[in-house]
Amino acid sequence: MVPLQLTETPDWLESLFTSKLGFVVLFGICILEGAMLLRFMPSELVVPAALALIGSSIVEAVAIVVLAVVGTTIGQLLLFGVVRRAGREYALRTRWVPITESRLERFDGWFDRWGPLAVPVSNTLLFVRGLLTVPAGLSEMDRRSFLVLSAAGSLSFQSILAALYLLGGYLLV
């Protein structure tokens, strides 16, 4: 049985993923996603697209999830560092961090209420994925704790996506 395959993938994306550089392309896309710079593809499609285009054997699926976790964690760590250095006003003013004052206040509240646990939980959730990176960067949270918690949340998110893709593909075939 073969998992689901994408039927209408843009040619340029398919050629990048299926080339010998497929894993490098995936890694770069994941860094962009973690840093909130991925605008051409929703984050919940990255791992399923990679599984469809690179391969979906157990070894390939594990490699894809590991690369996605490392890449998104690096991207989030970069964003964490920028926000830590540049501050709240920069995060609100810059175009590449998609957050408004009201959303930041809401996420600050989540961070204040749940503390560091909010980082992995938010990294597992759709629509708010990674947005707790900004309040974490503005807080007193140390870099190492953020790194571990960010990676844990990314591992959860990417593993769920891979499992849903693989399970869905086998159920529908």
Side-chain angles (χ1 to χ4, degrees):
M1 292 188 177
V2 176
L4 292 171
Q5 296 296 310
L6 297 177
T7 56
E8 293 296 323
T9 306
D11 290 339
W12 65 270
L13 183 60
E14 186 171 351
S15 67
L16 286 174
F17 272 125
T18 57
S19 75
K20 292 182 182 190
L21 298 175
F23 285 109
V24 174
V25 171
L26 172 63
F27 188 64
I29 286 172
C30 289
I31 291 172
L32 293 175
E33 189 259 318
M36 294 186 181
L37 293 171
L38 187 68
R39 300 283 192 253
F40 60 87
M41 184 178 196
S43 62
E44 48 280 344
L45 294 182
V46 174
V47 165
L51 288 166
L53 297 170
I54 293 174
S56 57
S57 72
I58 296 299
V59 171
E60 290 165 326
V62 168
I64 287 168
V65 168
V66 168
L67 273 176
V69 169
V70 172
T72 56
T73 302
I74 289 170
Q76 285 189 351
L77 193 58
L78 292 170
L79 177 59
F80 177 87
V82 167
V83 169
R84 164 94 11 118
R85 282 197 170 88
R88 183 181 188 92
E89 293 307 313
Y90 175 79
L92 290 170
R93 219 179 41 240
T94 188
R95 303 178 100 209
W96 69 279
V97 179
I99 197 161
T100 62
E101 179 73 43
S102 62
R103 286 182 89 190
L104 183 53
E105 286 178 20
R106 184 171 29 153
F107 296 134
D108 278 339
W110 290 4
F111 194 79
D112 290 343
R113 181 172 182 188
W114 300 104
L117 181 61
V119 173
V121 170
S122 77
N123 275 354
T124 304
L125 299 174
L126 297 174
F127 308 115
V128 296
R129 176 164 165 64
L131 288 174
L132 268 284
T133 299
V134 176
L138 296 171
S139 75
E140 299 296 317
M141 183 177 212
D142 69 281
R143 185 180 169 114
R144 185 173 297 152
S145 295
F146 176 79
L147 177 72
V148 169
L149 294 170
S150 174
S154 290
L155 177 61
S156 171
F157 181 75
Q158 307 300 0
S159 297
I160 290 168
L161 290 176
L164 288 172
Y165 173 84
L166 295 170
L167 180 63
Y170 288 114
L171 290 177
L172 293 174
V173 173

